[in-house]
Structures are given as C-alpha cells and as structure tokens.
Amino acid sequence: MSIEPPESTVSPPEGSPEATVSAPSRRTFIATTAVGGAVVAGGLVAGPAVFGAESADAAQAPPGSRVSLTINGERRSVTVDNRTSLLDLLREHLGLTGSKKGCNAGACGACTVLVDGRRVNSCLTLAVRLEGAEVTTIEGLSRGERLHPLQQAFIDQDAFQCGYCTSGQIMSGVGCIDEGHTGSPEEIREFMSGNICRCGCYVKIVRAVEQAAHGN
C-alpha cells in the first residue's frame, strides 16, 4: 500500500501565493531530472571525442630528413622518417625487395648488404646516417645477364633450399671474400657465422664461397 499522499486536484485560489509559485510534483521533478541527466551524459560522452580531434590536429608529423646515397651504382635521394632503417628504405621506398626482413633485430643476417664495401645488417642501420654512402644489394651484383661468381657458385653447389636467407648469405659471402677471410672452410664458417640458414645448407654454402674465392 502506498503511503505517498495523493496529488491535489484542487487548484489554489487565484491570486494566492500557491498559484504564483507552485512547487513541482514528485513525478514532474523525476521526469525533469532524468531528461537533464541524459543531456549532461550526452555532453560527457561527446567530450573526449572533441578533445581527441583537437589533439590529433595539434600532433606534429615525425621528423624527417632528406638523404642522398648511391645504391647499386645509381644516385638516389629520398626524404624519410629519421627512424627509417636502411632495410625499410630499400624495401618500402625504393622497391628493392631482394634484401629480406627476417628477425629485424640483427640476429639472422637475411638483410645483409654492403655499405662502402663492408657488410652491415641493414635492419639495424639508420638510413639518415648514410649520406653519401655507396650501398650494394643483391640486385646490384650481376652485370646484366652475367651473374656474380658467388651467385653462380650457389647454383652450382645447390647451396640453398627455401632461398629466404640466400640474398643475405651471398652478400655476406661477397664481403667475406673481399675481406680475405677464405683461407679455410673453418675460417669461412667463422666469418659467415652471423648468417643463419634455417634449412641447414651450411656445408654447401661454404663450398660455394670457396668456389667463388678460389675457383674450385
């Protein structure tokens, strides 16, 4: 049984204080509060979106630099984010996808290229630090239809299976030969140890490097 007193159905006398300022009923008060709360809630929901839009507009683009370097004998200039690796510059900006992204942490050697004649892991090398450098990738080894001797040796010795690491293996092998570290199979293995072959073709890779270095 409700104990709420019934609402009065009798209008107050005209001119009385009750007629001028009448207190809202409980039902009217609840309805008004509910509508007002919904409006406020709607404003709160919209607030973060507005602030997010302002933050996005205020955000600045990441710093970039223009770098010029010679890649496979061709002078190239490109503007890149300062955080761009040489590997991403080659693959994403210049379309030279022969260098592979394996671990992207310098541990597998699949991204090996030559910079000024020295072997580097391109995934760990910032592109903006190579102003004026000469870069050689797997695409730049052959001379027209004529393969580099180490490329041909990899075919002759069947020194690959899946081929994913092959470009890095060949570039590292070229560096190993140019550095003079091909005196023995043991020396070749030591100086090629940074290049991982998940297919396990190490014996034939060493033979290929020997063939290219010594012609046997």
Side-chain angles (χ1 to χ4, degrees):
M1 178 176 179
S2 173
I3 60 174
E4 181 182 352
E7 297 181 7
S8 174
T9 58
V10 180
S11 300
E14 186 176 351
S16 67
E18 290 82 359
T20 304
V21 182
S22 80
S25 68
R26 180 173 180 271
R27 186 177 292 109
T28 302
F29 176 79
I30 293 175
T32 304
T33 304
V35 173
V39 173
V40 172
L44 290 176
V45 170
V50 174
F51 293 141
E54 292 176 354
S55 299
D57 292 339
Q60 296 181 354
S65 299
R66 189 163 187 82
V67 60
S68 297
L69 60 165
T70 301
I71 300 177
N72 299 329
E74 182 181 354
R75 192 70 173 174
R76 308 294 292 267
S77 295
V78 62
T79 300
V80 295
D81 185 323
N82 288 345
R83 300 165 294 181
T84 301
S85 68
L86 174 58
L87 178 60
D88 285 339
L89 171 65
L90 295 171
R91 292 180 57 84
E92 308 299 334
H93 294 265
L94 302 179
L96 298 173
T97 57
S99 303
K100 302 305 182 185
K101 181 176 285 191
C103 65
N104 205 33
C108 72
C111 67
T112 303
V113 300
L114 302 180
V115 176
D116 294 332
R118 297 177 62 85
R119 294 178 282 176
V120 302
N121 291 319
S122 59
C123 70
L124 297 183
T125 306
L126 288 176
V128 294
R129 300 190 63 183
L130 299 179
E131 177 66 32
E134 293 191 8
V135 178
T136 304
T137 71
I138 191 68
E139 291 91 347
L141 282 186
S142 62
R143 295 294 178 262
E145 296 297 321
R146 183 182 179 185
L147 296 178
H148 185 280
L150 187 53
Q151 290 176 304
Q152 185 62 54
F154 262 67
I155 295 173
D156 295 342
Q157 297 293 337
D158 193 23
F160 53 89
Q161 287 188 34
C162 78
Y164 194 84
C165 74
T166 302
S167 60
Q169 296 279 0
I170 291 175
M171 296 308 300
S172 186
V174 170
C176 187
I177 293 170
D178 291 344
E179 294 161 12
H181 298 305
T182 59
S184 66
E186 291 75 23
E187 185 178 19
I188 293 172
R189 282 194 290 269
E190 174 67 24
F191 284 88
M192 291 283 292
S193 60
N195 291 79
I196 295 174
C197 174
R198 291 176 174 83
C199 299
C201 296
Y202 296 111
V203 172
K204 294 182 178 181
I205 290 171
V206 171
R207 289 176 183 169
V209 175
E210 286 184 304
Q211 175 181 318
H214 308 298
N216 53 20

